[in-house]
Amino acid sequence: MPVLPCKSRPARSLFWVLAAASLSGCAGGVLDPQGPIGAGNRTILLNSLAVMLVIVIPTLVALLAFAWMFRASNRKARYDPEFTYSGRIELIVWSIPTLTILFLGGLIYYGSYHLDPRRPIASSQPPLEIQVVALDWKWLFLYPDQSIGTVNQLVVPAGVPVRFKLTSASVMNTFFVPQLGSMIYVMNGMQTELHLQADREGDYFGQSAHFSGDGFSDMNFRVRAISADAFSSWVSTVRGGGGVLNAGAYQDLARQSIKVPPASFGHVQPGLFDAVVRQTLPPGPGPTLTAAGEPHVGPKAQLAVGVPAMAHQPRPEEGE
């Protein structure tokens, strides 16, 4: 009976489909950077992986080789129960971890110096300053030069460095846009800085990467990188949309709330961010107390949306 030749084309197609499916999770994450800081972070990650694999792979190969060489059935294996010391073995044992430390130390130096969050990004464009306040459980973004503000939406011009000033008006939190770069912690009563840049136009995912309470899982925001002309038009639209963020509106916004929809403020009181950092404006009220006097940490049954009525919530077509 003749044997039919096996067609490998469907098998190859299935292989590439499975490979693409397995790598689809890399899109939109740290392995798909869209800015210089994100690209530097990916380089450090891959280089560190390569340094560790240089140790791990030979170690696994040596383990299998020694197990095969000194198996019980191998009569040619040398048996030396009086062995106590070998200079060559000592040299190998100590030189490998020493070289590993040197290589990883070089990578750490590169990351801590060239990717320092406070280090400005070299560019011919002046940086855009954005002030960030972590609230329960939402993000407040203030544009001091434009005198506008947004909640849970961050709009930046593509190709322009962004200088973030960050703080928290509640518990410790972290600000992280995986495709743009470094994650940074924010704390109550303290200010930190971060420089990022989006090289290309697009929508990116931003998140809180530190557990901060019951609404943590929904404390995400959308990052829109648009052209410089589109950014100017967006600023004009926000200003015309109305909404004022002053001390009173901020105190309403600071109350605990979950699943807060994106909103904007056409005017922001000057010095609001500094007042939050210096705690001239008090921190968020935190959880209410139960009848027993204990903190009520579950906001789902007691909180409203948490955006002041004077804030402008964009229509679906405005968010595009």
Side-chain angles (χ1 to χ4, degrees), residues 97-312:
T98 300
L99 292 175
T100 303
I101 293 173
L102 291 177
F103 284 128
L104 291 179
L107 296 176
I108 293 172
Y109 170 79
Y110 173 85
S112 60
Y113 180 75
H114 294 280
L115 299 178
D116 183 359
R118 292 179 175 271
R119 183 183 176 91
I121 299 175
S123 175
S124 60
Q125 300 286 341
L128 170 69
E129 181 173 323
I130 298 179
Q131 299 166 340
V132 184
V133 182
L135 301 168
D136 288 337
W137 284 274
K138 49 199 168 283
W139 292 96
L140 172 63
F141 301 101
L142 306 176
Y143 297 73
D145 295 335
Q146 292 75 24
S147 299
I148 61 174
T150 60
V151 176
N152 282 350
Q153 60 172 340
L154 175 61
V155 181
V156 298
V160 175
V162 180
R163 179 192 181 193
F164 291 98
K165 293 184 177 180
L166 308 99
T167 189
S168 173
S170 180
V171 298
M172 183 172 66
N173 218 311
T174 56
F175 174 87
F176 189 31
V177 183
Q179 289 183 274
L180 298 188
S182 303
M183 175 180 69
I184 194 164
Y185 279 82
V186 294
M187 298 182 65
N188 187 273
M190 301 180 67
Q191 174 185 312
T192 188
E193 292 185 14
L194 175 66
H195 290 81
L196 297 177
Q197 176 178 311
D199 288 338
R200 290 173 286 276
E201 298 179 24
D203 288 0
Y204 309 115
F205 176 74
Q207 66 181 118
S208 164
H210 184 85
F211 181 75
S212 57
D214 210 12
F216 155 75
S217 59
D218 296 305
M219 195 173 171
N220 307 318
F221 57 94
R222 176 188 179 191
V223 182
R224 295 175 56 208
I226 56 181
S227 65
D229 293 338
F231 180 77
S232 299
S233 300
W234 174 80
V235 171
S236 301
T237 300
V238 173
R239 287 173 177 168
V244 177
L245 182 61
N246 51 26
Y250 170 79
Q251 291 178 352
D252 291 337
L253 180 66
R255 298 182 181 276
Q256 288 186 332
S257 54
I258 58 175
K259 296 183 179 180
V260 178
S264 60
F265 300 92
H267 177 73
V268 176
Q269 174 182 322
L272 185 67
F273 178 80
D274 293 333
V276 174
V277 175
R278 295 195 304 267
Q279 298 187 347
T280 304
L281 285 174
T288 58
L289 299 180
T290 64
E294 298 178 354
H296 191 300
V297 296
K300 297 179 180 178
Q302 61 177 348
L303 298 178
V305 170
V307 176
M310 60 191 69
H312 173 64

